[in-house]
Amino acid sequence: MKIVIYDGANTIGGSKIHVEECNNGLFLDFGMNFAKYSLYYEEFMSERTARGIYDLWHLNLLPKLNIYRRDLIPRDLVNEVTRYPKVPANAVLISHAHLDHVGNVALLDENISIVGSPTTIAILKALNDTSGGGSHFGMEIPYYKVKKNKDSEGYILEADKKSHYPSRKVILSEAISSFHDFLFYRPGQESPKAKKIIPSDVKSLNDEDLGFEIKAFSVDHSIYGATAYIIEGDVSLAYTGDFRLHGKSGNETRKFIREAKNASILITEGTRTGREEHENVSEQEVYENALKIVEEAKGLVIGDFSARNFERLESFKEIAEKTERELIVTAKDAYFLHALKMVEGVDRLKGLRIYGNFKASQQKWEELVVWSNYAEYYISPFEIRKNQEDYILCFSFYDMPHLLDVMPNGGTYIYSSSEAFGEEQEFSFLRLWNWLQYFGFEVHGFRINGYGKPIFEKGLHASGHISREELRGIIDEVNPDYIIPVHTENPMWFRNNWGEKAVVLRNGESWEV
């Protein structure tokens, strides 16, 4: 078995791992490396989609391989790309729906199947539906817009407005037949002239031969649907993806750990190995701490947590019920919860309200899915304004302008998400602080110091990643022959703890066993 870490060897995110044996190959994730992207791009400056993968290729933001969609390669890049190897790739195994693990999958050759849990695929489909085109291609999963040459030289690419949307072959970790209608439905395609999604095959891992025996295991993470994999070839390999023990589904992670004891190779994340941490906040502690704040809160409460952190959303829903308030989510949140319902059959929107913001028109996904199915859930900002003490509003920094319609008279703001990880994010927190001060909010979770820098409080956010000490215990429990660290800024921690058993690779390096 040959393993190549193409990206993510010494950064948190950007995981791109290739496993090859007997002319069969798999990618384990194929994510965006935000650390590398940030060297060249920022929020309002991204790759030029009219040039396909040209910018990403020349800035070394993609592995130099001949594995990308033909329609994304402009004519002046074709000869260069074809000089590079075309490694075997029967499929890409997606661990979860965070872009640092899946954000470059849409660039891969369209014949490469995607493997993931039904929940992960549903979230990715909802991301695509609601992206509105986006500034890069990362959202185009599982369906995508075909690109064609706009000019005769083939330098400029544009979406083919006449072509329907092809979709990739989808391989689910478990079979769910009722999911197909949602997977191949694009809101608005009812019109005879509208472009439609061209259905592809949907199989389950048990029904598909990918050259390896593959077992998928649900694990606990800060997004639903997270999956770890065990791959059986001549040797057995276990891949954790991102995982933890301190969420509500920690027992699922334990099941994977028990199975991983038979693996010879463990490829594991090490997000928190470079951090000196003396406490490991659990999701239960976050719930309890936030509940105490809301119980004492006067006026409107705003809960700010990461997009698609549905476990945290459900915690705030429970807090709302206990404090006799109603939880209000955005229309986009509602669409994602609808997508989860299509997979799991659980109506997580029941008992929630949907914020009806003032805008000129609704996009098709909101008009035809959210409004059509949940119109009675909508609540206007004026209604919130009249009875502010009755609600918890799920808003983040980018929703702040809508507060000018609600006009809060003070209130409580709970920041329940990750800390800033760059200078631009620090500026965003300063702007957020200005909004909150304007409306007179009592702020929990962070504050701005005298130098204009955000200072974060503990206890209102639980990491999506396993703590360093728990990871040490898991590796000792699994006791693999070899450990390959990824998704970490401190790969040498593994060498220091397990000596030669730790195979520390740099990006692009290969290792065979």
Side-chain angles (χ1 to χ4, degrees), residues 35-67:
K36 290 182 179 179
Y37 269 66
S38 67
L39 297 175
Y40 305 101
Y41 299 124
E42 58 180 19
E43 183 181 355
F44 299 108
M45 178 184 176
S46 60
E47 67 268 29
R48 300 170 297 166
T49 56
R51 293 289 277 145
I53 66 166
Y54 184 93
D55 295 4
L56 303 180
W57 180 274
H58 283 291
L59 293 174
N60 295 312
L61 299 178
L62 290 175
K64 294 294 176 61
L65 296 169
N66 183 13
I67 56 169

mmCIF file of all heavy atoms in Angstrom, residues 35-67:
data_model
loop_
_atom_site.group_PDB
_atom_site.id
_atom_site.type_symbol
_atom_site.label_atom_id
_atom_site.label_comp_id
_atom_site.label_asym_id
_atom_site.label_seq_id
_atom_site.Cartn_x
_atom_site.Cartn_y
_atom_site.Cartn_z
ATOM 1 N N ALA A 35 -5.201 28.015 5.001
ATOM 2 C CA ALA A 35 -3.940 28.676 5.343
ATOM 3 C C ALA A 35 -3.198 29.099 4.077
ATOM 4 O O ALA A 35 -2.660 30.208 3.993
ATOM 5 C CB ALA A 35 -3.074 27.752 6.190
ATOM 6 N N LYS A 36 -3.176 28.231 3.074
ATOM 7 C CA LYS A 36 -2.522 28.564 1.805
ATOM 8 C C LYS A 36 -3.333 29.578 1.017
ATOM 9 O O LYS A 36 -2.784 30.510 0.419
ATOM 10 C CB LYS A 36 -2.317 27.293 0.977
ATOM 11 C CG LYS A 36 -1.269 26.342 1.519
ATOM 12 C CD LYS A 36 -1.109 25.154 0.597
ATOM 13 C CE LYS A 36 -0.055 24.184 1.095
ATOM 14 N NZ LYS A 36 0.076 23.010 0.197
ATOM 15 N N TYR A 37 -4.655 29.387 0.976
ATOM 16 C CA TYR A 37 -5.507 30.332 0.244
ATOM 17 C C TYR A 37 -5.326 31.745 0.781
ATOM 18 O O TYR A 37 -5.313 32.718 0.029
ATOM 19 C CB TYR A 37 -6.973 29.919 0.364
ATOM 20 C CG TYR A 37 -7.488 28.998 -0.715
ATOM 21 C CD1 TYR A 37 -7.003 27.697 -0.847
ATOM 22 C CD2 TYR A 37 -8.475 29.411 -1.608
ATOM 23 C CE1 TYR A 37 -7.484 26.833 -1.822
ATOM 24 C CE2 TYR A 37 -8.968 28.567 -2.590
ATOM 25 C CZ TYR A 37 -8.474 27.280 -2.692
ATOM 26 O OH TYR A 37 -8.958 26.433 -3.670
ATOM 27 N N SER A 38 -5.193 31.866 2.114
ATOM 28 C CA SER A 38 -5.126 33.192 2.729
ATOM 29 C C SER A 38 -3.843 33.939 2.380
ATOM 30 O O SER A 38 -3.754 35.154 2.592
ATOM 31 C CB SER A 38 -5.256 33.074 4.251
ATOM 32 O OG SER A 38 -4.134 32.419 4.819
ATOM 33 N N LEU A 39 -2.848 33.245 1.849
ATOM 34 C CA LEU A 39 -1.635 33.922 1.398
ATOM 35 C C LEU A 39 -1.910 34.817 0.203
ATOM 36 O O LEU A 39 -1.192 35.790 -0.043
ATOM 37 C CB LEU A 39 -0.558 32.894 1.030
ATOM 38 C CG LEU A 39 -0.042 31.995 2.149
ATOM 39 C CD1 LEU A 39 0.928 30.957 1.586
ATOM 40 C CD2 LEU A 39 0.644 32.819 3.232
ATOM 41 N N TYR A 40 -2.945 34.490 -0.559
ATOM 42 C CA TYR A 40 -3.237 35.208 -1.798
ATOM 43 C C TYR A 40 -4.630 35.825 -1.835
ATOM 44 O O TYR A 40 -4.868 36.780 -2.572
ATOM 45 C CB TYR A 40 -3.104 34.256 -2.997
ATOM 46 C CG TYR A 40 -1.767 33.566 -3.058
ATOM 47 C CD1 TYR A 40 -1.615 32.245 -2.623
ATOM 48 C CD2 TYR A 40 -0.638 34.227 -3.522
ATOM 49 C CE1 TYR A 40 -0.392 31.605 -2.677
ATOM 50 C CE2 TYR A 40 0.600 33.604 -3.567
ATOM 51 C CZ TYR A 40 0.713 32.282 -3.136
ATOM 52 O OH TYR A 40 1.933 31.657 -3.180
ATOM 53 N N TYR A 41 -5.557 35.242 -1.073
ATOM 54 C CA TYR A 41 -6.950 35.662 -1.177
ATOM 55 C C TYR A 41 -7.504 36.077 0.176
ATOM 56 O O TYR A 41 -6.969 35.726 1.225
ATOM 57 C CB TYR A 41 -7.807 34.515 -1.735
ATOM 58 C CG TYR A 41 -7.407 34.053 -3.120
ATOM 59 C CD1 TYR A 41 -7.082 32.717 -3.359
ATOM 60 C CD2 TYR A 41 -7.357 34.949 -4.179
ATOM 61 C CE1 TYR A 41 -6.717 32.289 -4.632
ATOM 62 C CE2 TYR A 41 -6.996 34.542 -5.452
ATOM 63 C CZ TYR A 41 -6.683 33.211 -5.673
ATOM 64 O OH TYR A 41 -6.327 32.787 -6.933
ATOM 65 N N GLU A 42 -8.595 36.827 0.125
ATOM 66 C CA GLU A 42 -9.336 37.177 1.332
ATOM 67 C C GLU A 42 -10.814 37.081 0.994
ATOM 68 O O GLU A 42 -11.191 36.591 -0.078
ATOM 69 C CB GLU A 42 -8.971 38.579 1.816
ATOM 70 C CG GLU A 42 -9.225 39.657 0.790
ATOM 71 C CD GLU A 42 -8.844 41.039 1.289
ATOM 72 O OE1 GLU A 42 -8.069 41.150 2.253
ATOM 73 O OE2 GLU A 42 -9.350 42.010 0.700
ATOM 74 N N GLU A 43 -11.649 37.535 1.909
ATOM 75 C CA GLU A 43 -13.086 37.313 1.771
ATOM 76 C C GLU A 43 -13.647 37.796 0.438
ATOM 77 O O GLU A 43 -14.452 37.128 -0.201
ATOM 78 C CB GLU A 43 -13.820 38.002 2.918
ATOM 79 C CG GLU A 43 -15.311 37.760 2.905
ATOM 80 C CD GLU A 43 -16.011 38.468 4.044
ATOM 81 O OE1 GLU A 43 -15.315 39.060 4.900
ATOM 82 O OE2 GLU A 43 -17.252 38.435 4.071
ATOM 83 N N PHE A 44 -13.219 38.981 -0.013
ATOM 84 C CA PHE A 44 -13.785 39.553 -1.231
ATOM 85 C C PHE A 44 -12.809 39.473 -2.404
ATOM 86 O O PHE A 44 -12.948 40.199 -3.389
ATOM 87 C CB PHE A 44 -14.202 41.003 -0.981
ATOM 88 C CG PHE A 44 -15.250 41.126 0.092
ATOM 89 C CD1 PHE A 44 -14.943 41.642 1.331
ATOM 90 C CD2 PHE A 44 -16.542 40.674 -0.140
ATOM 91 C CE1 PHE A 44 -15.907 41.738 2.322
ATOM 92 C CE2 PHE A 44 -17.514 40.757 0.850
ATOM 93 C CZ PHE A 44 -17.196 41.295 2.080
ATOM 94 N N MET A 45 -11.857 38.591 -2.312
ATOM 95 C CA MET A 45 -10.909 38.375 -3.410
ATOM 96 C C MET A 45 -10.634 36.879 -3.482
ATOM 97 O O MET A 45 -10.118 36.279 -2.537
ATOM 98 C CB MET A 45 -9.611 39.135 -3.148
ATOM 99 C CG MET A 45 -8.557 38.930 -4.213
ATOM 100 S SD MET A 45 -7.026 39.766 -3.756
ATOM 101 C CE MET A 45 -5.952 39.266 -5.098
ATOM 102 N N SER A 46 -11.022 36.251 -4.582
ATOM 103 C CA SER A 46 -10.868 34.808 -4.713
ATOM 104 C C SER A 46 -10.409 34.480 -6.127
ATOM 105 O O SER A 46 -10.208 35.376 -6.960
ATOM 106 C CB SER A 46 -12.186 34.088 -4.399
ATOM 107 O OG SER A 46 -13.199 34.519 -5.285
ATOM 108 N N GLU A 47 -10.230 33.186 -6.387
ATOM 109 C CA GLU A 47 -9.779 32.763 -7.707
ATOM 110 C C GLU A 47 -10.759 33.201 -8.790
ATOM 111 O O GLU A 47 -11.957 33.348 -8.546
ATOM 112 C CB GLU A 47 -9.580 31.242 -7.749
ATOM 113 C CG GLU A 47 -10.852 30.426 -7.628
ATOM 114 C CD GLU A 47 -11.187 30.053 -6.209
ATOM 115 O OE1 GLU A 47 -10.811 30.812 -5.294
ATOM 116 O OE2 GLU A 47 -11.840 29.009 -6.012
ATOM 117 N N ARG A 48 -10.241 33.394 -9.982
ATOM 118 C CA ARG A 48 -11.085 33.820 -11.103
ATOM 119 C C ARG A 48 -11.752 32.589 -11.712
ATOM 120 O O ARG A 48 -11.101 31.791 -12.381
ATOM 121 C CB ARG A 48 -10.241 34.548 -12.147
ATOM 122 C CG ARG A 48 -9.536 35.792 -11.611
ATOM 123 C CD ARG A 48 -8.537 36.322 -12.613
ATOM 124 N NE ARG A 48 -7.476 35.341 -12.867
ATOM 125 C CZ ARG A 48 -6.628 35.423 -13.897
ATOM 126 N NH1 ARG A 48 -6.722 36.410 -14.761
ATOM 127 N NH2 ARG A 48 -5.699 34.506 -14.062
ATOM 128 N N THR A 49 -13.044 32.460 -11.497
ATOM 129 C CA THR A 49 -13.732 31.270 -11.984
ATOM 130 C C THR A 49 -13.739 31.204 -13.511
ATOM 131 O O THR A 49 -13.849 30.114 -14.072
ATOM 132 C CB THR A 49 -15.177 31.231 -11.463
ATOM 133 O OG1 THR A 49 -15.855 32.426 -11.842
ATOM 134 C CG2 THR A 49 -15.190 31.095 -9.945
ATOM 135 N N ALA A 50 -13.612 32.341 -14.173
ATOM 136 C CA ALA A 50 -13.580 32.348 -15.638
ATOM 137 C C ALA A 50 -12.314 31.703 -16.187
ATOM 138 O O ALA A 50 -12.222 31.453 -17.399
ATOM 139 C CB ALA A 50 -13.707 33.776 -16.173
ATOM 140 N N ARG A 51 -11.348 31.437 -15.312
ATOM 141 C CA ARG A 51 -10.101 30.776 -15.746
ATOM 142 C C ARG A 51 -10.028 29.343 -15.222
ATOM 143 O O ARG A 51 -8.967 28.726 -15.222
ATOM 144 C CB ARG A 51 -8.895 31.583 -15.286
ATOM 145 C CG ARG A 51 -8.777 32.935 -15.974
ATOM 146 C CD ARG A 51 -8.376 32.792 -17.437
ATOM 147 N NE ARG A 51 -6.923 32.653 -17.542
ATOM 148 C CZ ARG A 51 -6.314 31.892 -18.449
ATOM 149 N NH1 ARG A 51 -7.016 31.163 -19.287
ATOM 150 N NH2 ARG A 51 -5.001 31.847 -18.500
ATOM 151 N N GLY A 52 -11.148 28.818 -14.708
ATOM 152 C CA GLY A 52 -11.151 27.435 -14.240
ATOM 153 C C GLY A 52 -10.170 27.230 -13.107
ATOM 154 O O GLY A 52 -10.133 28.010 -12.151
ATOM 155 N N ILE A 53 -9.345 26.185 -13.210
ATOM 156 C CA ILE A 53 -8.366 25.896 -12.154
ATOM 157 C C ILE A 53 -7.032 26.599 -12.392
ATOM 158 O O ILE A 53 -6.067 26.375 -11.653
ATOM 159 C CB ILE A 53 -8.122 24.381 -12.005
ATOM 160 C CG1 ILE A 53 -7.433 23.798 -13.260
ATOM 161 C CG2 ILE A 53 -9.408 23.644 -11.680
ATOM 162 C CD1 ILE A 53 -6.870 22.408 -13.058
ATOM 163 N N TYR A 54 -6.967 27.468 -13.389
ATOM 164 C CA TYR A 54 -5.703 28.101 -13.778
ATOM 165 C C TYR A 54 -5.018 28.779 -12.591
ATOM 166 O O TYR A 54 -3.829 28.555 -12.332
ATOM 167 C CB TYR A 54 -5.967 29.118 -14.890
ATOM 168 C CG TYR A 54 -4.733 29.781 -15.458
ATOM 169 C CD1 TYR A 54 -4.090 29.244 -16.584
ATOM 170 C CD2 TYR A 54 -4.218 30.947 -14.896
ATOM 171 C CE1 TYR A 54 -2.967 29.856 -17.122
ATOM 172 C CE2 TYR A 54 -3.094 31.559 -15.420
ATOM 173 C CZ TYR A 54 -2.469 31.016 -16.536
ATOM 174 O OH TYR A 54 -1.345 31.620 -17.060
ATOM 175 N N ASP A 55 -5.743 29.613 -11.857
ATOM 176 C CA ASP A 55 -5.142 30.354 -10.745
ATOM 177 C C ASP A 55 -4.678 29.417 -9.642
ATOM 178 O O ASP A 55 -3.562 29.551 -9.116
ATOM 179 C CB ASP A 55 -6.152 31.348 -10.172
ATOM 180 C CG ASP A 55 -6.542 32.432 -11.165
ATOM 181 O OD1 ASP A 55 -6.084 32.380 -12.325
ATOM 182 O OD2 ASP A 55 -7.313 33.328 -10.779
ATOM 183 N N LEU A 56 -5.533 28.469 -9.273
ATOM 184 C CA LEU A 56 -5.195 27.540 -8.194
ATOM 185 C C LEU A 56 -3.995 26.692 -8.553
ATOM 186 O O LEU A 56 -3.154 26.376 -7.700
ATOM 187 C CB LEU A 56 -6.403 26.651 -7.880
ATOM 188 C CG LEU A 56 -7.702 27.364 -7.484
ATOM 189 C CD1 LEU A 56 -8.799 26.344 -7.207
ATOM 190 C CD2 LEU A 56 -7.484 28.251 -6.264
ATOM 191 N N TRP A 57 -3.898 26.302 -9.815
ATOM 192 C CA TRP A 57 -2.770 25.487 -10.285
ATOM 193 C C TRP A 57 -1.457 26.254 -10.160
ATOM 194 O O TRP A 57 -0.482 25.752 -9.605
ATOM 195 C CB TRP A 57 -3.032 25.076 -11.733
ATOM 196 C CG TRP A 57 -1.958 24.241 -12.362
ATOM 197 C CD1 TRP A 57 -0.826 24.678 -12.993
ATOM 198 C CD2 TRP A 57 -1.894 22.812 -12.420
ATOM 199 N NE1 TRP A 57 -0.077 23.632 -13.442
ATOM 200 C CE2 TRP A 57 -0.711 22.473 -13.103
ATOM 201 C CE3 TRP A 57 -2.743 21.802 -11.971
ATOM 202 C CZ2 TRP A 57 -0.350 21.141 -13.352
ATOM 203 C CZ3 TRP A 57 -2.392 20.486 -12.215
ATOM 204 C CH2 TRP A 57 -1.208 20.165 -12.885
ATOM 205 N N HIS A 58 -1.431 27.487 -10.649
ATOM 206 C CA HIS A 58 -0.182 28.244 -10.656
ATOM 207 C C HIS A 58 0.222 28.736 -9.267
ATOM 208 O O HIS A 58 1.421 28.955 -9.027
ATOM 209 C CB HIS A 58 -0.281 29.417 -11.635
ATOM 210 C CG HIS A 58 -0.132 29.014 -13.068
ATOM 211 N ND1 HIS A 58 1.060 28.555 -13.606
ATOM 212 C CD2 HIS A 58 -1.038 28.967 -14.075
ATOM 213 C CE1 HIS A 58 0.898 28.257 -14.884
ATOM 214 N NE2 HIS A 58 -0.366 28.496 -15.202
ATOM 215 N N LEU A 59 -0.739 28.880 -8.374
ATOM 216 C CA LEU A 59 -0.408 29.297 -7.007
ATOM 217 C C LEU A 59 -0.141 28.103 -6.091
ATOM 218 O O LEU A 59 0.018 28.265 -4.892
ATOM 219 C CB LEU A 59 -1.555 30.131 -6.430
ATOM 220 C CG LEU A 59 -1.787 31.499 -7.095
ATOM 221 C CD1 LEU A 59 -3.029 32.166 -6.535
ATOM 222 C CD2 LEU A 59 -0.570 32.402 -6.915
ATOM 223 N N ASN A 60 -0.076 26.907 -6.684
ATOM 224 C CA ASN A 60 0.189 25.670 -5.930
ATOM 225 C C ASN A 60 -0.841 25.430 -4.829
ATOM 226 O O ASN A 60 -0.513 24.926 -3.752
ATOM 227 C CB ASN A 60 1.606 25.693 -5.340
ATOM 228 C CG ASN A 60 2.674 25.686 -6.413
ATOM 229 O OD1 ASN A 60 2.624 24.879 -7.343
ATOM 230 N ND2 ASN A 60 3.622 26.601 -6.313
ATOM 231 N N LEU A 61 -2.098 25.756 -5.109
ATOM 232 C CA LEU A 61 -3.181 25.490 -4.184
ATOM 233 C C LEU A 61 -3.875 24.173 -4.490
ATOM 234 O O LEU A 61 -4.799 23.768 -3.768
ATOM 235 C CB LEU A 61 -4.192 26.644 -4.218
ATOM 236 C CG LEU A 61 -3.618 28.011 -3.813
ATOM 237 C CD1 LEU A 61 -4.679 29.095 -3.928
ATOM 238 C CD2 LEU A 61 -3.046 27.976 -2.404
ATOM 239 N N LEU A 62 -3.423 23.508 -5.551
ATOM 240 C CA LEU A 62 -3.894 22.169 -5.909
ATOM 241 C C LEU A 62 -2.683 21.281 -6.172
ATOM 242 O O LEU A 62 -1.656 21.764 -6.657
ATOM 243 C CB LEU A 62 -4.749 22.210 -7.186
ATOM 244 C CG LEU A 62 -6.121 22.868 -7.115
ATOM 245 C CD1 LEU A 62 -6.734 22.909 -8.511
ATOM 246 C CD2 LEU A 62 -7.031 22.124 -6.156
ATOM 247 N N PRO A 63 -2.777 19.982 -5.878
ATOM 248 C CA PRO A 63 -1.683 19.068 -6.230
ATOM 249 C C PRO A 63 -1.488 19.034 -7.743
ATOM 250 O O PRO A 63 -2.464 19.056 -8.508
ATOM 251 C CB PRO A 63 -2.165 17.708 -5.704
ATOM 252 C CG PRO A 63 -3.222 18.020 -4.704
ATOM 253 C CD PRO A 63 -3.864 19.283 -5.152
ATOM 254 N N LYS A 64 -0.241 18.959 -8.167
ATOM 255 C CA LYS A 64 0.070 18.895 -9.598
ATOM 256 C C LYS A 64 -0.169 17.458 -10.075
ATOM 257 O O LYS A 64 0.736 16.618 -10.113
ATOM 258 C CB LYS A 64 1.510 19.340 -9.834
ATOM 259 C CG LYS A 64 1.743 20.823 -9.507
ATOM 260 C CD LYS A 64 0.975 21.729 -10.445
ATOM 261 C CE LYS A 64 1.096 23.207 -10.105
ATOM 262 N NZ LYS A 64 2.453 23.737 -10.144
ATOM 263 N N LEU A 65 -1.417 17.190 -10.429
ATOM 264 C CA LEU A 65 -1.847 15.878 -10.892
ATOM 265 C C LEU A 65 -2.816 16.060 -12.060
ATOM 266 O O LEU A 65 -3.501 17.084 -12.155
ATOM 267 C CB LEU A 65 -2.558 15.102 -9.765
ATOM 268 C CG LEU A 65 -1.736 14.730 -8.543
ATOM 269 C CD1 LEU A 65 -2.645 14.223 -7.426
ATOM 270 C CD2 LEU A 65 -0.688 13.671 -8.894
ATOM 271 N N ASN A 66 -2.913 15.063 -12.888
ATOM 272 C CA ASN A 66 -3.832 15.098 -14.028
ATOM 273 C C ASN A 66 -5.142 14.398 -13.630
ATOM 274 O O ASN A 66 -5.468 13.320 -14.119
ATOM 275 C CB ASN A 66 -3.179 14.413 -15.240
ATOM 276 C CG ASN A 66 -4.042 14.484 -16.475
ATOM 277 O OD1 ASN A 66 -5.019 15.221 -16.538
ATOM 278 N ND2 ASN A 66 -3.686 13.697 -17.480
ATOM 279 N N ILE A 67 -5.885 15.042 -12.704
ATOM 280 C CA ILE A 67 -7.074 14.392 -12.130
ATOM 281 C C ILE A 67 -8.271 15.328 -12.085
ATOM 282 O O ILE A 67 -9.250 15.042 -11.406
ATOM 283 C CB ILE A 67 -6.793 13.887 -10.697
ATOM 284 C CG1 ILE A 67 -6.304 15.038 -9.816
ATOM 285 C CG2 ILE A 67 -5.807 12.728 -10.697
ATOM 286 C CD1 ILE A 67 -6.256 14.713 -8.339
#
